[in-house]
Amino acid sequence: MTRKRSGGSSVKPDEEVVPKKVVKHSPGKEATAAADECNNTLPRKLALSEPAIFANPEGSAHLGEYKRVTKEEAMKMLPPDRPARVYADGIYDMFHSGHARALMQAKKLFPNTYLIVGVCSDELTHSLKGRTVMTEWERYEAIRHCRYVDEVIKDAPWTLEPEFLEKHRIDFVAHDDLPYGTGSSSADVYQHIKEAGMFCATQRTEGISTSDVIARIVKDYDMYIRRNLARGYTAKELNVSYMREKKIAVQNTVDTVKAKVKDMGEKYKSFVNNLDDKRQEVLDKWREKSTDFVQNFIQMYGAMNQVKEQLMEAMSPGRTSPNAESPRSRSPTLWSPTRFGMPSPTTTSQGTSTSEDLSEEE
């Protein structure tokens, strides 16, 4: 795409970009076969290491007498000593892949093509179409460094007069084939080129154009303003009012605080997760140790139960087991009152037995 138009056929970026419209102008099967054979025999061209040259303002008189070749002759590489000179013109503002693919199509129109690209100046473009983002020199340089371009014409005309075509020895003009008017006129500026059989149609690339790129920038206008202010551009350079600049500064501060809070939240969440993992690890270890402790205690208690009697006897030598017989029943004399200097019991009026009676009873 060169000059922006509404509608029109297009190709997707991953599709073959050889222009379909040119096929109807092909000279026939023999010429096509000859061109294919020529393409197969020519060595593959590598990327260029030098930018394209600027055209001489005086034209291409050094090429000698101008005799335009036909498409049939160009496909057969006749005459063989010179390439077909193809001209493509446009604004080429914010040079993008759609521009490059259109120029690639123009370059591949014939087996041997010399591609000349005309770029309109700022003055002409602003008066007939509108303002551009890039200056004319930026657009010139962008075109010069496209690998398909051999020569660049500065301050190219909006309409192509026969004198201009002859001055630069132009054989064919490449552009998309929709009618393109000038200003308030709806007449196609390429109509006389088409009638002369010099027009070669290219196809626009779907989904990319200068207007589309600008629309994306406008859509995210605030984001680009904030980014450029952060990079050091002044509000005056960006054509931003004082109040808008302050509003953007406040918004930047709010966003910075939000980012810090979010970062702190993520760190806190990570800390809590790590703490929870540690807690679970400690609990698991405690559970494991407690199980070992209980098992060891049970084993220890069982061993102590087996030697309990021995331990009790060792700790209290005169102490016997509670289940043993009482000392009194085992040794009656051991508890005799006379042993401790107490008087022997006597018979009372209630019939209390004396010591002798007790002895006889025993």
Side-chain angles (χ1 to χ4, degrees):
M1 189 209 75
T2 53
R3 296 173 181 170
K4 175 67 178 175
R5 303 181 184 182
S6 59
S9 59
S10 59
V11 293
K12 296 181 179 179
D14 57 347
E15 293 180 347
E16 177 60 41
V17 295
V18 176
K20 298 179 180 179
K21 295 296 182 180
V22 177
V23 175
K24 65 180 182 181
H25 300 295
S26 60
K29 294 183 179 180
E30 295 181 359
T32 304
D36 293 339
E37 182 179 356
C38 179
N39 285 331
N40 294 331
T41 57
L42 287 175
R44 181 176 179 83
K45 294 183 179 180
L46 300 178
L48 302 178
S49 58
E50 297 291 336
I53 63 172
F54 284 117
N56 189 330
E58 302 299 327
S60 303
H62 63 281
L63 297 178
E65 184 180 357
Y66 171 65
K67 182 179 180 182
R68 190 179 68 83
V69 298
T70 64
K71 292 182 179 180
E72 291 80 1
E73 292 172 336
M75 292 299 295
K76 294 179 181 180
M77 296 182 65
L78 298 175
D81 57 341
R82 81 169 183 90
R85 294 173 64 84
V86 178
Y87 176 78
D89 61 348
I91 309 302
Y92 300 106
D93 191 20
M94 301 182 68
F95 188 78
H96 51 72
S97 61
H99 294 139
R101 292 175 70 85
L103 296 177
M104 180 183 69
Q105 295 177 61
K107 184 70 174 181
K108 295 173 66 175
L109 284 170
F110 305 105
N112 188 14
T113 301
Y114 185 85
L115 181 59
I116 307 168
V117 178
V119 182
C120 300
S121 65
D122 287 346
E123 182 181 0
L124 181 63
T125 304
H126 297 170
S127 63
L128 295 178
K129 187 173 183 179
R131 293 193 59 83
T132 58
V133 176
M134 300 170 63
T135 66
E136 60 184 65
W137 278 102
E138 291 171 338
R139 295 184 283 114
Y140 295 157
E141 287 298 315
I143 292 297
R144 286 188 69 202
H145 289 84
C146 178
R147 63 180 297 182
Y148 310 113
V149 181
D150 298 297
E151 186 175 326
V152 176
I153 297 178
K154 298 180 292 183
D155 193 13
W158 199 264
T159 58
L160 304 178
E161 302 295 338
E163 294 78 15
F164 175 82
L165 299 174
E166 184 174 355
K167 176 181 178 180
H168 292 282
R169 304 296 192 266
I170 296 173
D171 295 316
F172 307 99
V173 176
H175 205 279
D176 60 84
D177 61 350
L178 292 178
Y180 190 76
T182 302
S184 59
S185 175
S186 60
D188 186 5
V189 297
Y190 297 106
Q191 185 61 38
H192 64 290
I193 303 295
K194 295 176 181 179
E195 293 173 353
M198 299 174 60
F199 188 82
C200 297
T202 59
Q203 297 184 28
R204 298 165 60 186
T205 301
E206 181 180 355
I208 182 68
S209 69
T210 300
S211 298
D212 293 335
V213 174
I214 294 175
R216 298 175 199 173
I217 297 174
V218 172
K219 179 181 178 182
D220 298 322
Y221 172 76
D222 285 344
M223 180 187 71
Y224 290 112
I225 290 292
R226 292 167 60 183
R227 186 175 71 179
N228 283 284
L229 285 174
R231 289 178 175 178
Y233 287 90
T234 64
K236 183 178 180 180
E237 290 174 330
L238 298 174
N239 197 27
V240 176
S241 66
Y242 175 82
M243 293 301 297
R244 188 172 186 84
E245 180 188 13
K246 297 306 176 184
K247 179 181 178 181
I248 291 174
V250 172
Q251 186 62 43
N252 287 338
T253 303
V254 172
D255 290 346
T256 301
V257 172
K258 286 182 178 179
K260 290 183 178 180
V261 171
K262 183 178 180 181
D263 183 58
M264 292 175 61
E266 293 295 330
K267 291 182 178 179
Y268 175 76
K269 184 185 298 183
S270 176
F271 173 77
V272 171
N273 291 336
N274 293 336
L275 187 63
D276 186 66
D277 293 340
K278 291 292 184 182
R279 180 185 63 83
Q280 188 63 36
E281 182 179 352
V282 171
L283 288 176
D284 292 340
K285 288 185 178 180
W286 182 86
R287 187 180 296 111
E288 180 181 352
K289 295 297 182 181
S290 64
T291 302
D292 294 341
F293 175 77
V294 171
Q295 291 177 352
N296 293 336
F297 178 79
I298 292 174
Q299 293 176 0
M300 183 182 298
Y301 180 80
M304 290 179 63
N305 191 43
Q306 294 175 5
V307 296
K308 179 175 62 174
E309 297 295 336
Q310 293 85 341
L311 290 175
M312 294 292 291
E313 185 66 26
M315 294 171 64
S316 302
R319 184 177 179 182
T320 58
S321 173
N323 296 327
E325 295 180 358
S326 66
R328 183 174 182 178
S329 62
R330 184 174 65 249
S331 179
T333 60
L334 180 64
W335 300 97
S336 174
T338 59
R339 183 176 178 136
F340 299 97
M342 297 174 63
S344 300
T346 59
T347 304
T348 63
S349 59
Q350 287 81 6
T352 305
S353 299
T354 63
S355 60
E356 292 81 2
D357 296 334
L358 293 172
S359 299
E360 289 177 0
E361 291 177 1
E362 292 177 352

